Amino acid sequence: MKRLLSLVLGAMAVLSASAQSDDFGIWTEVGIEKKFGKKLSLEGGVEARFEDKVTKVTRTGFNIGVTYKPWKFLRFGAGYAFMNDWKDTEVNTKYDTDAETGTTTFSGYNIDKDFRRNKHRLYIQAVGKLDVGRFSFSLRERLQYTHYRSDETNSIKYRTPLDEESKEFYEMMGRSVYTYNNQYFGSKEEVIDNKHSKNRYYVRSRFQVSYNIKGIPLEPYASIELSHCLNKGFGFSTHKSSATEGSSWNPKKYRYTIGADYTIKKTHQFGLAYVYNHGTDDDNEGDLHAINLSYKFKF
């Protein structure tokens, strides 16, 4: 068991070190599960996530759910979650398109300062499971709805890009010149940006394989999950492009997980996992590496 845990921890360290430019975080979860017979169970829990190189609490929240298992190989579930999320400063490149020629030209930047937003989430799901020897293979399909509450943030708008000649002319005329991202602008405006409420629908598909170690209550597993936004239709883009947002941008995120669960007397379950998020959705942009620590009390 110690050797297996060492291998898991070693894999986490290697994978985390391989992408130093990406974000890194620690996710924590504490939950409880109550079984009613062999088919029905209720569960709930709280979570906290620490990201931005583990310097900020980026999410806090709680969840409740119910699971019904009519057969050994199939179970259904539904649940609700409340989350308070931190949104990092966001920089959007702005472009203007000529109505006659269709030519797109750079017009400036919108910089939205970081802020927090409450979210309400509902989901339904089905999980199919196949046991082969001591291996278990499962496929989970989840339909998820999230309501984002409205909020406000400070926004800076840079407009009127200037070249060196235009910059010198502005300065000669006594007009202000602003610099951002090594570029010059003739206009800078600070405003309160209203973040309107929005609704998002996602399909989240997860394939997982786990192994039941004989004589040891330790179950290692690995999984891959794809989150796909239904609001934007089906597409293949995984990264946001400010020039094309609203047309071809399609939020999509992959999540790769490797970890293990250790259960004591079928009641106390401890979890340790390495998680890698790749891609973009309405919650995150860019790549994230995280260590997931969890505990669940079952009775």
Side-chain angles (χ1 to χ4, degrees):
M1 180 179 67
K2 292 182 178 180
R3 181 176 298 178
L4 180 61
L5 285 174
S6 298
L7 289 173
V8 172
L9 290 172
M12 293 176 182
V14 171
L15 290 170
S16 297
S18 66
Q20 296 181 0
S21 62
D22 299 335
D23 194 10
F24 176 76
I26 295 178
W27 297 355
T28 60
E29 304 172 50
V30 177
I32 187 170
E33 179 179 348
K34 169 63 177 177
K35 292 185 178 295
F36 298 89
K38 295 183 178 180
K39 296 185 177 181
L40 184 66
S41 64
L42 297 176
E43 59 183 349
V46 295
E47 67 169 335
R49 294 184 179 182
F50 306 84
E51 296 172 6
D52 195 25
K53 310 298 183 184
V54 203
T55 61
K56 291 184 176 67
V57 180
T58 57
R59 172 179 292 182
T60 57
F62 67 89
N63 62 83
I64 56 175
V66 58
T67 298
Y68 179 66
K69 188 177 181 181
W71 302 286
K72 183 178 180 180
F73 61 88
L74 181 65
R75 68 178 185 270
F76 301 97
Y80 163 81
F82 170 82
M83 292 158 285
N84 177 264
D85 270 3
W86 172 76
K87 182 69 174 177
D88 196 3
T89 297
E90 184 177 83
V91 178
N92 291 315
T93 307
K94 305 303 292 182
Y95 294 86
D96 289 333
T97 302
D98 189 282
E100 295 182 0
T101 64
T103 304
T104 299
T105 57
F106 170 70
S107 63
Y109 294 101
N110 281 358
I111 304 173
D112 292 334
K113 297 296 186 178
D114 61 293
F115 68 101
R116 291 191 173 274
R117 169 180 274 182
N118 292 333
K119 301 188 299 185
H120 301 277
R121 176 171 293 170
L122 297 171
Y123 71 86
I124 57 174
Q125 66 182 29
V127 182
K129 182 180 178 182
L130 175 65
D131 294 325
V132 181
R134 306 196 73 86
F135 284 94
S136 291
F137 301 88
S138 66
L139 177 64
R140 187 205 69 195
E141 295 292 345
R142 171 182 290 183
L143 178 61
Q144 175 180 290
Y145 159 76
T146 306
H147 174 71
Y148 294 70
R149 297 287 302 274
S150 60
D151 213 317
E152 293 182 343
T153 181
N154 296 321
S155 181
I156 302 175
K157 301 179 185 293
Y158 289 96
R159 294 293 187 271
T160 316
L162 304 174
D163 56 20
E164 286 289 345
E165 185 177 346
S166 298
K167 170 183 174 290
E168 292 178 0
F169 177 76
Y170 266 58
E171 291 175 336
M172 183 180 66
M173 298 297 294
R175 299 177 63 177
S176 299
V177 175
Y178 305 95
T179 305
Y180 179 77
N181 197 29
N182 296 320
Q183 294 174 290
Y184 302 115
F185 298 92
S187 147
K188 175 185 176 182
E189 182 183 9
E190 298 187 30
V191 299
I192 300 297
D193 189 10
N194 293 311
K195 296 295 183 179
H196 300 291
S197 63
K198 61 181 181 179
N199 299 308
R200 289 292 182 264
Y201 298 87
Y202 274 82
V203 171
R204 298 178 60 176
S205 305
R206 187 191 68 190
F207 175 74
Q208 179 171 299
V209 57
S210 60
Y211 183 75
N212 188 318
I213 301 177
K214 185 177 181 180
I216 302 176
L218 182 70
E219 186 170 329
Y221 64 89
S223 68
I224 178 173
E225 179 180 333
L226 168 64
S227 298
H228 194 109
C229 183
L230 297 180
N231 297 74
K232 296 289 184 177
F234 285 91
F236 299 95
S237 173
T238 58
H239 287 283
K240 180 176 179 179
S241 173
S242 298
T244 59
E245 184 179 352
S247 54
S248 62
W249 175 53
N250 182 262
K252 182 180 289 188
K253 181 172 68 178
Y254 293 90
R255 176 175 294 176
Y256 306 90
T257 305
I258 178 172
D261 291 327
Y262 184 76
T263 305
I264 300 177
K265 296 181 180 180
K266 298 182 179 181
T267 301
H268 305 279
Q269 183 183 79
F270 299 88
L272 172 64
Y274 164 80
V275 181
Y276 172 52
N277 280 347
H278 170 67
T280 293
D281 61 8
D282 286 279
D283 294 330
N284 302 100
E285 245 185 84
D287 297 339
L288 168 70
H289 304 259
I291 301 299
N292 191 4
L293 306 173
S294 63
Y295 167 75
K296 179 180 285 187
F297 177 71
K298 300 181 177 182
F299 67 103

